[in-house]
């Protein structure tokens, strides 16, 4: 279901909207000139394919998602292996986010492009912020329980902002009108 959503909805919508179509290792075909312009293939991240996508995008290359081209895929059949795969993917995603999000937000890219990249990579910020707020709330609760309210309000605000961003991203995905 996750891959169907990612490939059938997210990637298709990004391509249709002219946004970055990040490579996720699933049936991607690259032009050699794009790889060379982006500085070649690197193996210093777990998500080296997404890393290459962002480097190529920053050099002006654009991808196209072809939804009518299919290929059989395989998923782990053991839950432990699937969880390991998901942790690896999340870690690679976070590596890419921490490397490129500040660079792109400070770049000369359009506000629209920056917003779209933030919607894609900004999710990586939620884990550290959530941990900071949770541990802060616990410390305040133990040391000064009467002061927990502002921490809980910050936590609630973060949850609301997170769900709003996710809902906005979904709404933008579903709001597209194809040809």
């Amino acid at each position: 279901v996750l891959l169907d959503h990612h490939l059938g909805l997210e990637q298709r919508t990004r391509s249709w909207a002219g946004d970055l179509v990040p490579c996720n290792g699933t049936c991607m075909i690259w032009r050699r000139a794009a790889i060379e312009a982006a500085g070649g293939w690197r193996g210093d991240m777990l998500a080296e394919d997404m890393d290459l996508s962002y480097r190529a995008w920053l050099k002006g290359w654009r991808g196209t998602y072809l939804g009518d081209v299919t290929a059989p895929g395989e998923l782990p059949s053991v839950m432990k292996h699937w969880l390991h795969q998901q942790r690896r993917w999340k870690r690679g995603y976070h590596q890419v986010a921490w490397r490129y999000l500040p660079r792109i937000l400070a770049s000369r890219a359009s506000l629209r492009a920056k917003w779209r990249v933030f919607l894609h990579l900004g999710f990586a910020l939620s884990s550290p912020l959530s941990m900071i707020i949770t541990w802060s709330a616990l410390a305040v609760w133990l040391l000064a329980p009467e002061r927990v309210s502002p921490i809980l309000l910050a936590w609630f605000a973060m949850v609301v902002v997170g769900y709003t961003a996710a809902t906005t991203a979904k709404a933008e995905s579903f709001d597209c009108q194809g040809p």
Side-chain angles (χ1 to χ4, degrees):
V1 170
L2 294 172
L3 283 177
D4 286 348
H5 177 268
H6 174 64
L7 297 171
L9 183 67
E10 290 177 32
Q11 294 290 64
R12 193 179 297 243
T13 302
R14 283 187 184 104
S15 180
W16 174 86
D19 293 341
L20 166 73
V21 180
C23 177
N24 54 356
T26 305
C27 299
M28 193 85 160
I29 298 172
W30 282 90
R31 289 180 189 231
R32 175 174 282 196
I35 294 172
E36 290 171 355
W41 191 265
R42 295 184 191 158
D44 61 343
M45 290 191 169
L46 287 172
E48 66 281 345
D49 46 4
M50 190 185 303
D51 172 66
L52 177 60
S53 298
Y54 271 94
R55 286 188 286 118
W57 183 76
L58 286 167
K59 294 291 185 181
W61 288 87
R62 300 295 181 260
T64 301
Y65 181 83
L66 304 175
D68 56 339
V69 177
T70 62
E74 187 175 339
L75 295 172
S77 59
V78 177
M79 179 61 81
K80 179 177 139 182
H81 299 158
W82 182 80
L83 289 171
H84 178 73
Q85 177 191 59
Q86 294 303 303
R87 277 193 297 273
R88 182 182 176 281
W89 285 357
K90 184 176 180 182
R91 185 171 171 211
Y93 173 83
H94 284 164
Q95 289 173 339
V96 171
W98 289 107
R99 179 176 287 177
Y100 292 103
L101 194 55
R103 189 180 305 176
I104 291 169
L105 293 178
S107 75
R108 291 183 179 177
S110 70
L111 285 176
R112 179 185 179 277
K114 289 178 182 183
W115 173 246
R116 299 295 183 138
V117 167
F118 181 77
L119 286 177
H120 182 242
L121 294 178
F123 177 72
L125 301 172
S126 65
S127 295
L129 289 176
S130 178
M131 285 176 45
I132 290 168
I133 290 174
T134 301
W135 284 106
S136 298
L138 181 59
V140 169
W141 180 61
L142 292 173
L143 300 173
E146 69 280 358
R147 296 184 182 221
V148 170
S149 319
I151 300 291
L152 290 177
L153 286 173
W155 178 82
F156 181 72
M158 186 181 76
V159 169
V160 168
V161 167
Y163 280 110
T164 301
T167 303
T168 301
K170 291 283 187 210
E172 287 185 15
S173 295
F174 286 114
D175 197 29
C176 295
Q177 300 295 318

